Amino acid sequence: MRQPASLRLDAPERRLLPDGRAEGPMPWVLAIMLFLLILAAAGGLAMTRAAAGLGEGIADRVTVQIVEADPAARERGTARALQLLAADPATRRAARVPDAEVAALVEAGLGEGALAAEVALPAMIDVDLAGGAAAVDELRARLRAAVPAARVDANGRWLAPVADLVRLLRLLAAGLMVLMLAASAAVVALAARAALNGHRGTIETLHLLGATDRQIVRLFQRRIALDAVFGGAVALAAAAAVLLLLGARLAELQSSLVSLAALRPSSWALLAALPAAGVLLATLVARATLLRALRRGP
Amino acid sequence: MAGDVVELENVGLRYSDAGAETLRDVRLRLTRGGFYFLTGPSGAGKTSLLKLLYLQQRPTRGLLRLFGEDVAALGRDRLPAFRRRIGVVFQDFRLIRHLSAFDNVALPLRVSGTSERDLREPVREMLAWVGLSKRQDAKPATLSGGEQQRVAIARAVIGRPELLVADEPTGNVDPGMAERLLHLFDALNQLGTTVVIATHDVHLFGRAGRARLLRLEHGTIADPTGEFAHPPRAAALAAAG
Ligand SMILES: Nc1ncnc2c1ncn2[C@@H]1O[C@H](COP(=O)(O)OP(=O)(O)OP(=O)(O)O)[C@@H](O)[C@H]1O
Ligand SMILES: [Mg+2]
């Protein structure tokens, strides 16, 4: 009996309709929709992160190697190449990779101890270019002319199709989200109309007793909102379980591309907010549907 | 006339485009504070006429004025406020089956925004008056026809409406209870409510002294003296006093 005022005021209104949630599969269908919505969003977020990571990696990053057995000739070639690069307006940055790092890279590739002291390592220069593929080709031609031992590797070459794919997947995720939201809205509108039809007599009586459309809408809207909260909670729990499991599996792959796509805490917060947005959408759609249906009635 | 709560002029009602008129050429004025019995054979159109009064139907022709306002000009958004001034006992009760007797009776008060604290006592008293104190938590399905009817009456009068419209309100109760319910309508009438009761029960007529008898035949008011189309001033004053 001693409930807070807000609850007490709501209670009698709630009792105008039979207890329990709306008939039919609406809460579960909504749960499925929101579940897929969260997964699509997670995919989209992962792709966005990956695209950003790739973008940094492939932005005209070029590696120049001077492959020359004779150390003196190698140093000369490297110095000449650096000179050329410095003079080139397309060069944003050019820096020699310290020999120790080159050795570590090679060792990582070949296994520890694989390097005998006398094995000649190439000299490496990291270059950031402006101007895309054409600039890379031009640089390659000029370097080859001046320093025959120079080899130019454009990292972006093999990453570009990956980046395209990631972009496509991101679009797909966004498209799926829009479809999912539209389908959710349709389900809610159908459920709202079914609820009205199921209580036509009660609604007419309430009208004749002087109830306003808004009062009647509030009854149904509350029930649909509660159903949506249920669906949203189920969806969030299921999606979190799936994403955590998937995340653990992917982490085991230890691929740099996969790690790029790992979800940040801010992404998780965004995903958790989605079901809440779904509930809000459901409530608004229900309200609009109900008001319009009632206005068309007697 | 300013004192008329209900005014009908050449009103016709047709339920479907193809069908004949259920009500035709109805001319009628109900004076504020009046007490009216509406009688006539089954199918004459009593319920149809009452539906016009409580705004379930609108006339298909003619003029209907309620509380001095032309109903045809009433927007949808103004209907609730009008309906809250009218208490209705429906011929088929129209109790809400998910609600207890108490909640059904409380409904008009809740709809008009009365707080829970303020409505508890009046609803209990009203249920006591119609002899249903012990049944206040019962759902309509578990009530007898007479009990349901009494809940419907309690719901119609709880908000002290300006106009009470009752369709066969004593059809399901014994003569003793019928008299008690008539008392209730009479008491409400004394407080200023205009009362219209459709009934076949000839015994009721004599009980309410100030009551006037309206007879509906074949969808129109039999009014040979013209007293309902043009109520004499004296009668209006008597009814108001
Ligand atoms: N909703 C409706 N649709 C079509 N026809 C209707 C409708 N309601 C009533 N009628 C018809 O209108 C006529 C008058 O019916 P109404 O219910 O007004 O009579 P009544 O005088 O109240 O009768 P009773 O004494 O049996 O209650 C009847 O012929 C009935 O069939
Ligand atoms: Mg009838």
Side-chain angles (χ1 to χ4, degrees), chain B residues 64-131:
Chain B
L64 167 58
R65 253 199 255 275
L66 272 183
F67 307 117
E69 280 206 58
D70 183 357
V71 162
L74 270 188
R76 200 188 147 69
D77 51 328
R78 293 194 58 208
L79 288 178
F82 263 75
R83 285 168 170 156
R84 288 176 194 180
R85 299 165 77 179
I86 305 168
V88 189
V89 183
F90 301 96
Q91 189 164 14
D92 51 359
F93 314 146
R94 281 185 168 270
L95 299 180
I96 294 182
R97 64 192 158 90
H98 335 297
L99 298 185
S100 67
F102 182 96
D103 287 333
N104 264 291
V105 174
L107 204 50
L109 298 180
R110 284 181 176 149
V111 158
S112 62
T114 308
S115 77
E116 289 303 295
R117 184 155 27 106
D118 291 346
L119 65 74
R120 201 160 297 143
E121 245 348 271
V123 172
R124 288 222 180 97
E125 262 170 38
M126 188 53 70
L127 281 167
W129 179 265
V130 297

Side-chain angles (χ1 to χ4, degrees), chain A residues 13-25:
Chain A
E13 250 190 6
R14 204 176 310 146
R15 264 185 278 140
L16 289 180
L17 293 171
D19 289 336
R21 291 200 313 275
E23 310 83 72

Side-chain angles (χ1 to χ4, degrees), chain A residues 57-93:
Chain A
I58 64 172
D60 306 302
R61 177 72 57 89
V62 171
T63 306
V64 177
Q65 295 186 48
I66 315 295
V67 187
E68 173 63 69
D70 172 24
R74 186 165 70 233
E75 288 310 312
R76 264 201 314 281
T78 306
R80 176 90 189 93
L82 278 170
Q83 223 171 22
L84 239 162
L85 283 166
D88 192 330
T91 305
R92 270 205 231 108
R93 190 186 68 94

Side-chain angles (χ1 to χ4, degrees), chain B residues 46-47 91 167-168:
Chain B
K46 300 183 293 295
T47 299
Q91 189 164 14
D167 203 346
E168 304 279 358

Side-chain angles (χ1 to χ4, degrees), chain A residues 17 21-22 44 66 167 169 173 196 217 225 227 243 258 269 287:
Chain A
L17 293 171
R21 291 200 313 275
I66 315 295
R167 225 169 287 135
L169 287 175
L196 279 188
V217 162
D227 284 347
L243 289 176
V258 167
R287 183 179 178 72

Side-chain angles (χ1 to χ4, degrees), chain A:
Chain A
M1 285 280 124
R2 279 219 186 96
Q3 289 164 317
S6 59
L7 279 182
R8 207 169 53 223
L9 282 176
D10 286 350
E13 250 190 6
R14 204 176 310 146
R15 264 185 278 140
L16 289 180
L17 293 171
D19 289 336
R21 291 200 313 275
E23 310 83 72
M26 199 275 271
W28 289 103
V29 174
L30 210 56
I32 293 170
M33 296 290 183
L34 292 177
F35 170 72
L36 294 175
L37 176 72
I38 298 172
L39 287 192
L45 283 171
M47 289 307 131
T48 303
R49 287 262 290 133
L54 283 175
E56 285 164 20
I58 64 172
D60 306 302
R61 177 72 57 89
V62 171
T63 306
V64 177
Q65 295 186 48
I66 315 295
V67 187
E68 173 63 69
D70 172 24
R74 186 165 70 233
E75 288 310 312
R76 264 201 314 281
T78 306
R80 176 90 189 93
L82 278 170
Q83 223 171 22
L84 239 162
L85 283 166
D88 192 330
T91 305
R92 270 205 231 108
R93 190 186 68 94
R96 176 154 186 194
V97 182
D99 282 345
E101 253 176 58
V102 177
L105 269 175
V106 174
E107 230 169 46
L110 300 179
E112 208 164 334
L115 282 183
E118 62 276 12
V119 170
L121 285 173
M124 282 174 79
I125 304 168
D126 265 346
V127 185
D128 282 350
L129 276 183
V136 174
D137 290 339
E138 201 185 317
L139 176 70
R140 180 177 291 121
R142 292 211 282 134
L143 272 179
R144 288 311 276 273
V147 188
R151 271 174 31 194
V152 177
D153 293 322
N155 302 337
R157 273 292 147 77
W158 66 270
L159 279 175
V162 177
D164 281 347
L165 180 66
V166 164
R167 225 169 287 135
L168 196 67
L169 287 175
R170 203 167 49 165
L171 267 181
L172 184 67
L176 284 178
M177 285 176 70
V178 170
L179 287 179
M180 234 50 97
L181 283 173
S184 302
V187 167
V188 169
L190 280 177
R193 239 170 265 146
L196 279 188
N197 284 336
H199 294 92
R200 205 164 265 191
T202 302
I203 290 169
E204 196 187 15
T205 304
L206 288 173
H207 268 146
L208 289 175
L209 294 178
T212 62
D213 286 350
R214 274 166 205 291
Q215 283 177 315
I216 292 168
V217 162
R218 221 179 301 143
L219 293 174
F220 289 94
Q221 186 186 305
R222 188 201 323 271
R223 284 151 48 95
I224 288 174
L226 286 177
D227 284 347
V229 166
F230 168 82
V234 170
L236 187 61
V242 166
L243 289 176
L244 286 174
L245 204 74
L246 209 63
R249 279 294 143 88
L250 287 176
E252 280 170 20
L253 290 180
Q254 293 188 335
S255 148
S256 61
L257 196 60
V258 167
S259 72
L260 269 183
L263 291 175
R264 287 178 179 165
S266 61
S267 305
W268 281 105
L270 210 64
L271 292 181
L274 274 180
V279 170
L280 190 69
L281 174 81
T283 310
L284 293 178
V285 167
R287 183 179 178 72
T289 310
L290 293 167
L291 271 178
R292 216 177 41 192
L294 285 180
R295 281 206 193 102
R296 252 190 267 120

Side-chain angles (χ1 to χ4, degrees), chain B:
Chain B
M1 195 194 296
D4 291 338
V5 171
V6 177
E7 201 178 328
L8 290 94
E9 240 164 69
N10 299 323
V11 162
L13 174 67
R14 199 191 288 275
Y15 280 108
S16 65
D17 292 343
E21 278 194 323
T22 296
L23 295 174
R24 55 190 173 83
D25 303 326
V26 177
R27 309 190 68 189
L28 181 62
R29 290 171 172 222
L30 303 183
T31 318
R32 185 174 296 280
F35 195 119
Y36 300 89
F37 283 115
L38 177 64
T39 178
S42 179
K46 300 183 293 295
T47 299
S48 302
L49 179 57
L50 297 188
K51 277 181 181 171
L52 294 179
L53 301 192
Y54 56 75
L55 295 171
Q56 184 175 357
Q57 296 280 346
R58 301 216 194 193
T60 35
R61 67 179 173 92
L63 172 76
L64 167 58
R65 253 199 255 275
L66 272 183
F67 307 117
E69 280 206 58
D70 183 357
V71 162
L74 270 188
R76 200 188 147 69
D77 51 328
R78 293 194 58 208
L79 288 178
F82 263 75
R83 285 168 170 156
R84 288 176 194 180
R85 299 165 77 179
I86 305 168
V88 189
V89 183
F90 301 96
Q91 189 164 14
D92 51 359
F93 314 146
R94 281 185 168 270
L95 299 180
I96 294 182
R97 64 192 158 90
H98 335 297
L99 298 185
S100 67
F102 182 96
D103 287 333
N104 264 291
V105 174
L107 204 50
L109 298 180
R110 284 181 176 149
V111 158
S112 62
T114 308
S115 77
E116 289 303 295
R117 184 155 27 106
D118 291 346
L119 65 74
R120 201 160 297 143
E121 245 348 271
V123 172
R124 288 222 180 97
E125 262 170 38
M126 188 53 70
L127 281 167
W129 179 265
V130 297
L132 289 173
S133 284
K134 295 204 179 99
R135 305 291 277 144
Q136 69 167 26
D137 295 324
K139 295 279 164 67
T142 67
L143 296 173
S144 75
E147 287 170 329
Q148 290 182 35
Q149 189 150 47
R150 282 180 275 157
V151 173
I153 289 169
R155 185 180 67 183
V157 303
I158 186 82
R160 283 225 201 142
E162 290 172 54
L163 172 64
L164 178 80
V165 178
D167 203 346
E168 304 279 358
T170 57
N172 292 276
V173 297
D174 58 67
M177 179 50 79
E179 195 161 337
R180 196 171 161 76
L181 293 175
L182 196 61
H183 245 68
L184 187 62
F185 298 139
D186 204 37
L188 202 64
N189 181 237
Q190 306 272 7
L191 292 171
T193 296
T194 308
V195 176
V196 185
I197 300 174
T199 184
H200 289 291
D201 186 352
V202 289
H203 299 295
L204 280 186
F205 303 157
R207 296 279 152 74
R210 293 160 295 119
R212 323 206 126 254
L213 207 59
L214 290 163
R215 191 166 167 80
L216 199 61
E217 270 169 24
H218 305 300
T220 197
I221 298 282
D223 185 15
T225 63
E227 67 164 320
F228 295 114
H230 308 285
R233 189 124 184 90
L237 289 177

